[in-house]
Amino acid sequence: MPPPQRYLTPLQARIEQWFADRGHQPFGFQREVWQAMLKARSGLLHAGTGSGKTLACWLGALQVCERQEASIRTGKGARKQTERSAELKVLWITPMRALAQDSFRALQSSAADLCPDWTVQTRTGDTQASVRTRQAKAWPDALVTTPESLSLMLTQANAQTRLSRIAVVIVDEWHELVGSKRGVQVQLALARLTRWNPKLLVWGMSATLGNLEHALEALLPDAIASTNSTTDTAGRSCLISAPGFQTARTSRSTRATSSTGRTIDSNCSKTPIIDVMLPASLPRFAWSGQMGYAMAGVLAQRIRAATSSLVFVNTRAQTERWYQALLEADPSLAGLIALHHGSLDASVRQWVEQGIRNGSLKAVVCTSSLDLGVDFTAVEQVFQIGSCKGVARLLQRAGRSGHSPDGQPRIGLVPTHALEALEAVAAHDAVQAYAIEARQSPLAPMDVMVQHLVTVGLGGGFEPQALYDEIRQTWAYRHLDKQAWAWALAFVTTGGESLGAYPDYQRVVRGVRGVRDVPDVSDVPSSTQTGLQTLWRVTDRRLALRHRLNIGTIVSDAMMQIRFWTRKAGGAALGQIEEGFVARLKPGECFVFGGRVFELVRVQDMTVYVRRVQASRAAMPRWEGGSMPLSGELSQAMARRLAQYADLNREHQTDNHHTDVHADEPGTTEPEAERHIVCTPDQAWHALRPLLATQHEMTGLPSHERLLIEQMRSREGWHWFIYPMAGRRVHLALASLLAWRLAKKSPRTFSVSVNDYGLELLCNQPLDAQQHLTPDLFDESRLVSDLQASVNASELAQRRFREIARISGLVFQGFPGQKKSARQVQASSQLFYKVFEAYDPDNRLLHQAMQEVLTLEFDLPGLSSVLTRIRDQPFVATSTSKPTPFGFGLVVQRLSQRLSSEKLADRVTRMLREAGALQEVEQMPDHSGSSGPDSNGHRQSRSGPSGKRRRSMRTRKTPRTKTIDRVQD
């Protein structure tokens, strides 16, 4: 209920009327946020996409600023009623530039009605230089920015003067930031702003998180929350969660700890409706990309029938492929559909976003560039090509439809192979149970802290002890010890033990000489000189410029700008493309970008010049970083479904004959030929019956209660198929570890293949589970050392060090127009790695690189958890003469990476015939020797004499072992 009119401030009265004019009233959780903010409490708001989070925090911030303005007018030295302060009052932080533009429109629209004299602007990488120049002279009232732009603002010499009057900071989509170095960057920036203004209010907004308490702690450490108020609620951060969106774990914890958070009731539960789009008959054997673009025609029909649609894919390369597939399926969609991904030019992205808003476009094929809160109220339906690989990602993308408090989100899942249909069913189960993935903040990344030290040195300088205390207020660095702090100071001032002879790495110096905004020491009173000389600052203008150009923690593969070719100068910009892809093209060759075919004219100064052509065949760009592993929550949901099927079969077995346990299930009684192509998750579960029955009859179903191991002998050698159901990264590490430990016992060679469901070990010598599968293979006592040896961790650490070297400022990527190539950057980072390894082995950046390899590349915590589970499980080793439905995909995955005179499609067809799957042979899509892409956008490579074999890392050789080839998707 709204408060009585006589107790409302003028702004609050306008807010109540503003809602009433639109036929709404504020939700309970929105009023709760406003009350908490007016009590000077910071907090975290957790509610679903489109539920009204933006208005909750924005209108609360307006009320806080109204109160502060009123107190200034009535206090000592009060201003006149018509005077307004010119300081920046509200800082709105978003993780993406596209989201920044959308947030700007939302804030500006409501501010125009409620506070007409307020100005709202953006400051991101897309902001024009003229706008930034005006902001340098006078801030707007509210500024929408990104973490990188905020760090750039902190490098201004007068940063404290210009930013110390901020009243409220709001961090949008905190769930996307908290688990990355960008989240640590935000933590450090908030600690800086809070030191300048102890009364600063900080609020985060989140839609999909499984560990809200940790997210709250990372955003608002106790030291920050305790300084925000002098009322009886001081020192208590506020967790407000609308129960329609909270996880089951969060629901229990927030009710149990009401002293630190509250759960507010809401009438807007928005669990999405999930549809599954399947072919009329689901194959019994699955492999990545087996369905190809078979569903493109049906998808095009549904796009044609709807007002507006978003088609999500998992990689940028897939946007190009599915855009072309939809046009081939329905040429009349030309001009009505577009594509959107981060490599397109900003003007193109903005044109696409506006087209979906005003209805001129019926559909957009997009990546995650559009799944973060971009407000497309008009979107009628959302599709996901392949698996989302995570529950949080599914909820985020589903929320693009029905994006309003009274809207109902709906998403259609389009599996690219049969087992992804099982993932779709499991995802529905996980959504119903609110089993959302947890995201953990990185712990004390030294590269981010080194960058922050230089940033603060530029932004007015720092006193070491005061900055140490400030940084320790953040969650990420709460346990930072004096030794690590001393190392970081030495690294930015002298370059550490190995770079002391190079001035470029002596970035921070003590004292004030040479700083433009500080007078000469001789002109400063002696009483002030002492304090000034204790400050540590960046004095070299060239190093300052390099740092500002290098700031941030986003490290992508080297990208080259694409422009139209003109004889005089470069034409219009089209976007960016990966350098490695362009390196394989020759002038005159064609490629697809942004849905159009271009001919390469020339490459000069990291710019690709092209001309538009009409061509029937062209190369498809490739971008790295697209493989997403199956999340733990989704894999557990899959394991529960498989266990359910196995239990029902055991209950219904009669006289050793299989019984159809789904015959009486509601909604699954249609004849096979009449099954709808768009079905519910229950119907999709029924469609999986032939696959599951075949797997169950051959060797059994994978389970988290027992470890299924299939043994097979073929002309290639001896195979083990193991199904931990733990995701691609864990399986990759486990396969390498097992192969290494088996090879140490007796010299042998292994080929390894992995996917999200299991792994395959192929050996050229007899491999018997009863003899070789011993408990010591899963021992955790030597886990780290054996894992490092099995995958040649030193080589992987060098690759990871490239990112660390860039963030810490060791490697400079070049000035605008003079960018270094990826090969140059990699060579520079490798040189630093080898120098540190030889002359500074205790360098903390080296240790960080190795730690990131273990945690990010191989998910060491997940691997340790799986090994613990396997150690306590019974092993079920069964023999089979041919691959099972689950093992078939692992075999095809390995074969797709081999050189052979036999086409992959022909080999798969022969394998299906040998397995007796004649129906699947007839249903195989014709892709001219190459199947379609899987959900991660990887096209199965063509096998043949001209094919290129993609190799990944090799294990380190020892006198007792041979090389282990590892095949990864």
Side-chain angles (χ1 to χ4, degrees):
M1 292 293 294
Q5 189 74 19
R6 64 180 180 274
Y7 296 122
L8 297 179
T9 67
L11 176 58
Q12 289 172 340
R14 292 196 299 271
I15 290 175
E16 295 293 336
Q17 187 61 45
W18 188 78
F19 275 95
D21 292 343
R22 287 156 178 77
H24 301 291
Q25 63 178 356
F27 289 112
F29 75 88
Q30 292 174 325
R31 295 188 187 278
E32 187 69 17
V33 171
W34 302 342
Q35 293 172 10
M37 295 178 77
L38 289 173
K39 292 179 181 179
R41 295 183 65 185
S42 296
L44 174 65
L45 172 60
H46 180 248
T49 300
S51 61
K53 297 190 301 297
T54 298
L55 288 178
C57 290
W58 172 236
L59 299 186
L62 292 180
Q63 295 176 51
V64 169
C65 294
E66 179 197 40
R67 173 175 291 186
Q68 290 187 357
E69 285 286 335
S71 65
I72 292 174
R73 292 193 184 101
T74 58
K76 186 177 180 180
R79 293 193 297 259
K80 296 180 180 179
Q81 185 71 19
T82 57
E83 291 181 351
R84 294 182 62 255
S85 60
E87 296 93 359
L88 178 61
K89 302 176 183 64
V90 179
L91 186 65
W92 194 282
I93 303 174
T94 69
M96 296 179 62
R97 288 176 291 181
L99 181 54
Q101 289 296 324
D102 191 74
S103 298
F104 161 72
R105 282 185 286 267
L107 304 189
Q108 187 182 49
S109 174
S110 55
D113 296 331
L114 298 170
C115 300
D117 54 348
W118 269 56
T119 57
V120 182
Q121 296 178 5
T122 63
R123 189 182 182 95
T124 68
D126 292 337
T127 302
Q128 296 179 353
S130 59
V131 176
R132 293 197 296 269
T133 301
R134 289 197 299 269
Q135 291 173 355
K137 299 177 181 178
W139 283 125
D141 295 283
L143 186 68
V144 182
T145 189
T146 59
E148 292 73 29
S149 293
L150 174 57
S151 292
L152 275 172
M153 288 187 278
L154 293 178
T155 64
Q156 299 174 2
N158 58 349
Q160 181 172 358
T161 302
R162 303 202 70 211
L163 300 176
S164 61
R165 300 299 296 272
I166 297 174
V168 183
V169 174
I170 297 172
V171 185
D172 197 3
E173 306 287 354
W174 179 234
H175 57 274
E176 287 295 328
L177 293 171
V178 65
S180 68
K181 291 181 181 179
R182 298 183 76 205
V184 177
Q185 186 179 7
V186 172
Q187 292 180 46
L188 291 169
L190 291 178
R192 192 74 176 152
L193 295 176
T194 304
R195 178 174 175 267
W196 291 340
N197 180 13
K199 295 183 179 181
L200 178 70
L201 294 183
V202 179
W203 275 81
M205 299 193 300
S206 168
T208 52
L209 266 177
N211 55 338
L212 291 182
E213 291 77 16
H214 170 69
L216 179 64
E217 292 172 356
L219 181 69
L220 301 168
D222 292 338
I224 293 180
S226 63
T227 60
N228 283 338
S229 177
T230 57
T231 66
D232 59 352
T233 60
R236 287 165 50 196
S237 55
C238 182
L239 173 59
I240 297 180
S241 178
F245 319 105
Q246 66 195 5
T247 66
R249 289 170 290 181
T250 299
S251 176
R252 291 191 296 268
S253 60
T254 52
R255 290 186 184 122
T257 59
S258 58
S259 63
T260 59
R262 286 169 285 176
T263 301
I264 307 303
D265 204 358
S266 171
N267 295 322
C268 50
S269 178
K270 298 182 64 175
T271 301
I273 299 173
I274 298 177
D275 300 318
V276 185
M277 299 176 62
L278 297 176
S281 179
L282 201 62
R284 289 179 298 158
F285 292 84
W287 68 93
S288 295
Q290 72 177 124
M291 297 181 189
Y293 304 102
M295 304 301 296
V298 179
L299 190 58
Q301 292 176 8
R302 292 182 57 95
I303 289 174
R304 169 66 68 179
T307 303
S308 60
S309 308
L310 292 180
V311 181
F312 282 105
V313 295
N314 291 339
T315 67
R316 286 172 284 184
Q318 243 187 326
T319 61
E320 302 282 353
R321 291 170 178 156
W322 273 92
Y323 175 79
Q324 296 293 334
L326 290 173
L327 287 180
E328 292 175 4
D330 187 354
S332 66
L333 289 176
L336 297 177
I337 65 174
L339 49 81
H340 188 291
H341 57 70
S343 292
L344 296 174
D345 189 67
S347 60
V348 177
R349 297 196 307 268
Q350 293 170 7
W351 176 83
V352 173
E353 293 163 17
Q354 187 59 33
I356 200 69
R357 283 191 186 92
N358 60 28
S360 61
L361 291 175
K362 292 186 70 68
V364 175
V365 184
C366 53
T367 61
S368 58
S369 59
L370 286 185
D371 70 7
L372 287 182
V374 182
D375 187 7
F376 297 136
T377 307
V379 171
E380 182 178 341
Q381 57 186 0
V382 170
F383 299 97
Q384 166 66 41
I385 304 297
S387 171
C388 284
K389 300 298 180 183
V391 183
R393 189 177 295 109
L394 185 148
L395 290 173
Q396 192 73 38
R397 294 181 174 181
R400 298 303 100 224
S401 64
H403 193 71
S404 62
D406 55 352
Q408 176 64 57
R410 186 166 197 151
I411 186 170
L413 304 181
V414 186
T416 61
H417 60 81
L419 286 179
E420 282 189 347
L422 177 59
E423 289 188 46
V425 175
H428 173 264
D429 294 344
V431 167
Q432 295 301 313
Y434 298 108
I436 304 176
E437 293 83 8
R439 307 194 189 192
Q440 190 77 16
S441 170
L443 186 60
M446 297 303 293
D447 54 346
V448 180
M449 188 174 72
V450 165
Q451 183 184 105
H452 185 68
L453 289 179
V454 182
T455 295
V456 178
L458 275 170
F462 63 89
E463 193 280 316
Q465 183 59 46
L467 185 57
Y468 174 70
D469 295 337
E470 174 187 315
I471 289 178
R472 277 175 56 90
Q473 303 306 310
T474 65
W475 187 94
Y477 298 97
R478 68 196 188 282
H479 299 311
L480 182 68
D481 56 47
K482 286 287 188 178
Q483 291 76 20
W485 177 246
W487 177 89
L489 287 177
F491 191 75
V492 299
T493 54
T494 67
E497 296 184 8
S498 53
L499 300 177
Y502 302 95
D504 280 357
Y505 304 105
Q506 299 170 9
R507 292 170 282 180
V508 178
V509 297
R510 295 184 60 176
V512 298
R513 293 185 183 274
V515 182
R516 288 182 300 167
D517 62 322
V518 179
D520 189 85
V521 176
S522 60
D523 298 329
V524 181
S526 58
S527 60
T528 309
Q529 282 189 36
T530 303
L532 287 174
Q533 288 179 329
T534 61
L535 291 181
W536 298 42
R537 295 172 179 258
V538 177
T539 60
D540 189 299
R541 296 182 182 181
R542 183 178 60 87
L543 295 180
L545 177 59
R546 286 180 52 166
H547 178 76
R548 290 189 173 103
L549 292 173
N550 213 52
I551 210 164
T553 60
I554 299 178
V555 180
S556 59
D557 297 293
M559 305 295 286
M560 305 181 73
Q561 189 178 45
I562 306 177
R563 286 185 175 274
F564 277 114
W565 166 254
T566 60
R567 292 188 179 276
K568 294 183 179 180
L574 296 168
Q576 293 180 315
I577 196 167
E578 188 181 281
E579 180 188 8
F581 172 76
V582 177
R584 295 193 297 271
L585 296 178
K586 298 178 181 179
E589 293 184 340
C590 300
F591 65 95
V592 177
F593 184 83
R596 296 177 289 179
V597 180
F598 296 99
E599 177 188 329
L600 175 63
V601 178
R602 63 183 300 181
V603 177
Q604 183 178 1
D605 298 330
M606 295 298 289
T607 301
V608 181
Y609 293 100
V610 300
R611 62 166 61 97
R612 180 80 185 274
V613 295
Q614 299 293 331
S616 58
R617 296 182 63 84
M620 195 67 67
R622 174 180 61 87
W623 288 273
E624 296 294 341
S627 295
M628 296 184 295
L630 194 70
S631 73
E633 282 72 13
L634 197 50
S635 66
Q636 290 174 11
M638 291 182 65
R640 284 192 293 269
R641 273 285 182 169
L642 295 175
Q644 172 189 340
Y645 183 95
D647 293 341
L648 289 174
N649 270 279
R650 281 193 293 269
E651 294 175 4
H652 289 79
Q653 282 178 347
T654 305
D655 298 330
N656 295 324
H657 291 290
H658 177 72
T659 303
D660 183 1
V661 299
H662 299 283
D664 298 327
E665 285 190 3
T668 60
T669 58
E670 311 126 301
E672 186 78 15
E674 298 178 5
R675 184 178 302 130
H676 297 297
I677 206 161
V678 178
C679 57
T680 66
D682 285 339
Q683 291 171 326
W685 176 242
H686 174 70
L688 285 162
R689 181 187 60 189
L691 184 153
L692 298 178
T694 302
Q695 175 71 35
H696 187 269
E697 292 170 357
M698 292 182 69
T699 60
L701 291 170
S703 169
H704 278 183
E705 305 300 324
R706 61 193 183 101
L707 183 64
L708 175 63
I709 303 169
E710 298 171 348
Q711 302 180 93
M712 188 182 75
R713 172 73 187 279
S714 72
R715 61 182 182 180
E716 295 178 297
W718 285 261
H719 306 253
W720 276 3
F721 300 95
I722 306 175
Y723 304 103
M725 300 289 291
R728 183 186 311 274
R729 286 191 303 174
V730 171
H731 293 162
L732 189 56
L734 181 59
S736 302
L737 182 68
L738 294 178
W740 171 261
R741 289 178 172 177
L742 285 168
K744 286 181 66 178
K745 294 182 177 181
S746 60
R748 58 183 70 226
T749 300
F750 289 94
S751 291
V752 176
S753 177
V754 302
N755 60 21
D756 281 316
Y757 321 111
L759 58 96
E760 177 198 20
L761 294 179
L762 171 60
C763 185
N764 61 347
Q765 300 178 29
L767 196 64
D768 181 68
Q770 299 295 334
Q771 176 184 354
H772 298 98
L773 198 64
T774 55
D776 62 307
L777 289 179
F778 304 96
D779 182 40
E780 295 182 61
S781 61
R782 307 182 311 277
L783 176 58
V784 173
S785 59
D786 283 0
L787 185 60
Q788 289 175 344
S790 68
V791 296
N792 194 2
S794 178
E795 180 181 343
L796 289 175
Q798 289 188 47
R799 293 171 51 190
R800 178 60 60 177
F801 188 76
R802 172 182 170 181
E803 172 182 319
I804 294 172
R806 212 286 294 161
I807 293 174
S808 62
L810 286 174
V811 174
F812 179 54
Q813 292 182 303
F815 294 99
Q818 303 175 2
K819 291 289 185 180
K820 294 181 179 179
S821 67
R823 182 174 298 178
Q824 290 172 320
V825 173
Q826 182 66 25
S828 299
S829 63
Q830 286 180 348
L831 177 61
F832 280 112
Y833 186 91
K834 294 182 182 300
V835 168
F836 291 156
E837 198 173 38
Y839 302 103
D840 189 8
D842 294 328
N843 190 294
R844 291 178 181 262
L845 296 182
L846 286 182
H847 297 299
Q848 179 183 336
M850 184 60 69
Q851 188 62 33
E852 288 186 8
V853 167
L854 296 175
T855 57
L856 301 180
E857 299 277 352
F858 297 111
D859 190 7
L860 183 61
L863 176 61
S864 179
S865 176
V866 167
L867 290 176
T868 301
R869 169 164 58 86
I870 290 176
R871 190 183 61 230
D872 299 331
Q873 286 179 340
F875 294 169
V876 179
T878 60
S879 298
T880 178
S881 59
K882 52 193 176 185
T884 64
F886 274 75
F888 195 89
L890 289 166
V891 175
V892 174
Q893 174 61 41
R894 175 172 48 78
L895 294 177
S896 68
Q897 311 300 315
R898 294 183 55 182
L899 290 173
S900 172
S901 59
E902 184 179 23
K903 291 182 178 180
L904 177 62
D906 295 339
R907 181 67 183 272
V908 172
T909 300
R910 178 164 58 82
M911 291 171 58
L912 290 173
R913 292 186 185 278
E914 293 173 353
L918 299 180
Q919 184 179 5
E920 280 82 348
V921 173
E922 297 173 357
Q923 295 175 349
M924 280 190 64
D926 182 12
H927 292 294
S928 301
S930 175
S931 63
D934 64 7
S935 62
N936 279 326
H938 300 298
R939 182 182 293 275
Q940 299 292 334
S941 60
R942 297 184 183 183
S943 299
S946 62
K948 292 185 178 181
R949 185 178 183 182
R950 182 176 61 193
R951 290 182 180 268
S952 53
M953 293 73 62
R954 294 177 176 269
T955 60
R956 179 180 297 169
K957 294 183 179 181
T958 71
R960 299 184 60 192
T961 62
K962 296 182 179 179
T963 299
I964 302 173
D965 290 330
R966 189 185 73 211
V967 177
Q968 182 186 6
D969 186 16

